[in-house]
Amino acid sequence: MKKFGFLLVTAMMLILTACGTEKSDGAEKTANESASKHELVKEGALTFSMTGQYPPLNFKKDDKLTGFDVEIGTEIAKRIGLEANPVTNTWETIIQGLKAGKYDAIIGSMTATPERDEQVDFTNPYYLSGAQIFVAEGNSDIQSKEDLKGKKIGVIQASTWKDMAEELSDQVKGYPTDVNALQDLALGRLDAVITDKIVGVSAKNEKGLEIKEIGDLLNEDRVSVAVAEGNKELAEQINEAIQSMIDDGTYEKISMKWFNTNIMEK
């Protein structure tokens, strides 16, 4: 009986060990599947997407992608030990392309919104934008939005900026483009223009307009890198890369090159 009992216990231990190994193998397999879910699109490279039609942030020059987004993406790739592989995709399907695994990230001036956050994961912002008030360079009367009452404000027609302007003044003029409004501002035909900060800064630099930003942003857009939902490891690596660029001055150097200002600052 003792011998039979010993054999029975030994058999049970072997069964339990086998079951444990099977569970362990299954857990390992699941972990490996999870890890492989976010493999890089191109081995040894960070493939990141943008439209390539949004100068000076991202655009093509001599058939090569360039711009602020491209330089930021290239520096991020370098700091996480990868080659940079910028690609283009239409804006309408850029999130779908990320979800389908066509690229590892979107570095294309995408604002992090709650709606988009349901489909992708966002890093910390790599620049801040939003509605900004611009006035002529020599204007010292307007210092903030409170000073716009009764002033003539230019905005794009049928835009969110128009709604904001109408809350601040009863003299609002619509324009077909931001540049038209900003040119009239520089010529003294308007007291102020409300438009996207980056758009205004770019027009100021490219057109040589004598205008300046005043006051705080009327709303804030946190422009961030998008990665596939659940790819926390890549998001963390990108966050660390962005922060190190800010800390060692590389970020400001790139920003000054393209905008003559630090666009991470409000």
Side-chain angles (χ1 to χ4, degrees):
M1 287 293 292
K2 287 183 179 179
K3 185 176 182 181
F4 176 76
F6 175 76
L7 290 172
L8 182 61
V9 170
T10 302
M12 289 179 67
M13 289 178 68
L14 289 169
I15 291 169
L16 288 171
T17 302
C19 289
T21 303
E22 185 178 344
K23 287 180 181 178
S24 176
D25 289 345
E28 187 177 347
K29 184 179 179 182
T30 302
N32 288 337
E33 285 175 351
S34 177
S36 65
K37 181 181 177 183
H38 297 300
E39 287 180 354
L40 294 170
V41 171
K42 182 180 178 181
E43 188 176 354
L46 178 67
T47 302
F48 54 96
S49 184
M50 60 199 65
T51 64
Q53 299 178 346
Y54 193 22
L57 291 152
N58 58 80
F59 60 103
K60 284 189 175 182
K61 184 177 181 181
D62 300 325
D63 291 327
K64 184 180 179 182
L65 275 170
T66 189
F68 175 78
D69 288 336
V70 178
E71 289 203 22
I72 290 293
T74 299
E75 188 65 27
I76 288 172
K78 173 184 169 184
R79 290 179 186 235
I80 61 179
L82 298 171
E83 293 292 323
N85 182 34
V87 297
T88 60
N89 196 93
T90 59
W91 187 256
E92 292 77 13
T93 60
I94 200 165
I95 286 180
Q96 287 82 346
L98 178 62
K99 292 168 72 174
K102 290 175 63 179
Y103 25 85
D104 307 305
I106 298 170
I107 309 181
S109 291
M110 177 172 281
T111 300
T113 66
E115 295 77 18
R116 289 170 178 159
D117 199 32
E118 291 178 1
Q119 301 186 68
V120 300
D121 283 344
F122 284 107
T123 66
N124 296 335
Y126 69 95
Y127 74 84
L128 302 174
S129 193
Q132 178 72 60
I133 301 169
F134 288 85
V135 299
E137 189 65 51
N139 188 327
S140 57
D141 296 331
I142 301 175
Q143 300 291 332
S144 68
K145 65 179 183 180
E146 286 74 23
D147 298 325
L148 292 178
K149 187 176 181 180
K151 302 295 185 181
K152 186 178 286 188
I153 306 174
V155 291
I156 294 181
Q157 296 165 347
S159 66
T160 53
W161 318 139
K162 187 171 185 290
D163 297 334
M164 291 180 182
E166 288 175 343
E167 292 178 4
L168 300 170
S169 176
D170 57 359
Q171 295 190 60
V172 177
K173 183 177 180 181
Y175 286 81
T177 70
D178 303 271
V179 174
N180 293 145
L182 291 165
Q183 287 174 330
D184 268 8
L185 175 63
L187 292 171
R189 296 169 182 165
L190 296 169
D191 297 305
V193 167
I194 296 176
T195 187
D196 180 83
K197 176 184 175 181
I198 302 303
V199 170
V201 169
S202 298
K204 172 184 174 181
N205 294 335
E206 292 171 12
K207 304 292 183 182
L209 302 179
E210 294 185 359
I211 60 175
K212 63 182 179 180
E213 313 103 278
I214 58 102
D216 297 327
L217 292 172
L218 300 179
N219 73 330
E220 183 179 282
D221 291 334
R222 296 168 63 85
V223 181
S224 308
V225 178
V227 300
E229 193 169 21
N231 197 351
K232 303 296 184 185
E233 183 179 356
L234 181 58
E236 283 302 316
Q237 289 177 327
I238 292 172
N239 278 335
E240 289 173 7
I242 292 170
Q243 190 58 53
S244 70
M245 290 162 60
I246 293 169
D247 293 342
D248 68 17
T250 302
Y251 179 90
E252 184 166 15
K253 184 179 178 181
I254 295 172
S255 183
M256 291 297 291
K257 171 184 174 179
W258 290 101
F259 302 104
N260 201 32
T261 188
N262 188 337
I263 60 173
M264 185 65 87
E265 297 175 351
K266 296 182 182 180

